[in-house]
Amino acid sequence: HFFIGLTSDIYLYPDKTQARKSTLLAYLRPYVQHLRARGLLDMAYVYGIDEPWGEAERHARDTCKLVKTEVGADVRFMQNTNQNNDSVIGRFLGHFDALDINLGFYDITKAAKYRRRHPAQLSDFWWNVNVWPETRPNLFLEYPLVDARIMGLMSYKYRMQGFGYWDLLALSGVVAYRPLAPDATTVSWRV
């Protein structure tokens, strides 16, 4: 699977919305047509607004609707939530083909509950890790090696279909973030 686009909040600036819609559609239409003609569209995703909060939640739902209506209902749309509350998944139901959450939010978002209630809508469920949080496994070199190894087992246990690692090379985020105190030898993540 691969991403063919990462949308920004095209509705953020109302005076620029029409131009941003046109740019997005002009990019996606020929790309999707190319993939569809070669039988590859089922492996491609358009990635919605990253970590939408507040008004951006509605914008993310509207972006999914725009892509499905104007480009094709068969275009796979992935939405990220990354919110630490138990209702965010419910607010996005019906507005994604695949959902992506931070590994640290799996329990907080009540993901298992939503998967039981809506198995068809949450059959394509991914999670990600990035420079945060220190209470969960990660791939930092200074973490114990079990952290990197446990993620595969957790993915199997929770039936995750995909995995993303964000900000792997984003030095601006890594420089300011220290997951362990200089004298620490263990981390406090929970499984």
Side-chain angles (χ1 to χ4, degrees):
H1 297 278
F2 55 95
F3 295 108
I4 59 173
L6 171 63
T7 67
S8 62
D9 188 344
I10 60 176
Y11 300 96
L12 182 60
Y13 305 107
D15 58 322
K16 297 179 181 175
T17 295
Q18 202 53 47
R20 294 177 91 183
K21 277 185 185 179
S22 296
T23 300
L24 177 64
L25 296 175
Y27 166 78
L28 284 178
R29 283 180 176 140
Y31 199 169
V32 165
Q33 183 179 1
H34 175 80
L35 294 172
R36 191 181 286 128
R38 284 153 183 78
L40 299 172
L41 188 58
D42 62 333
M43 295 188 296
Y45 291 91
V46 173
Y47 198 89
I49 298 171
D50 189 42
E51 299 186 15
W53 291 79
E55 188 65 17
E57 283 186 21
R58 182 174 56 82
H59 297 170
R61 292 189 298 267
D62 289 347
T63 302
C64 177
K65 191 182 319 178
L66 174 73
V67 169
K68 295 286 192 173
T69 302
E70 298 292 328
V71 182
D74 57 343
V75 175
R76 299 188 52 74
F77 194 88
M78 180 177 286
Q79 183 58 58
N80 168 277
T81 58
N82 277 12
Q83 291 187 30
N84 56 345
N85 65 67
D86 61 3
S87 61
V88 65
I89 294 175
R91 294 195 302 269
F92 279 103
L93 285 173
H95 295 92
F96 60 79
D97 296 295
L99 190 67
D100 176 45
I101 63 171
N102 186 283
L103 181 152
F105 288 145
Y106 187 86
D107 295 331
I108 296 168
T109 58
K110 307 278 191 226
K113 175 188 83 171
Y114 281 105
R115 289 182 97 178
R116 281 191 305 274
R117 290 185 181 171
H118 308 279
Q121 284 192 313
L122 288 163
S123 63
D124 196 351
F125 207 154
W126 292 38
W127 62 18
N128 66 73
V129 296
N130 50 33
V131 297
W132 174 95
E134 69 274 8
T135 58
R136 298 291 173 160
N138 214 308
L139 304 178
F140 291 116
L141 291 175
E142 62 266 41
Y143 272 27
L145 290 178
V146 71
D147 271 36
R149 294 175 178 151
I150 197 80
M151 283 188 273
L153 298 171
M154 291 175 69
S155 296
Y156 178 78
K157 175 183 177 181
Y158 292 113
R159 300 178 294 115
M160 305 309 283
Q161 284 71 45
F163 176 82
Y165 196 98
W166 284 92
D167 284 339
L168 183 60
L169 300 174
L171 294 179
S172 61
V174 175
V175 169
Y177 182 79
R178 177 111 183 118
L180 292 176
D183 60 344
T185 58
T186 62
V187 292
S188 60
W189 59 264
R190 307 173 307 279
V191 177

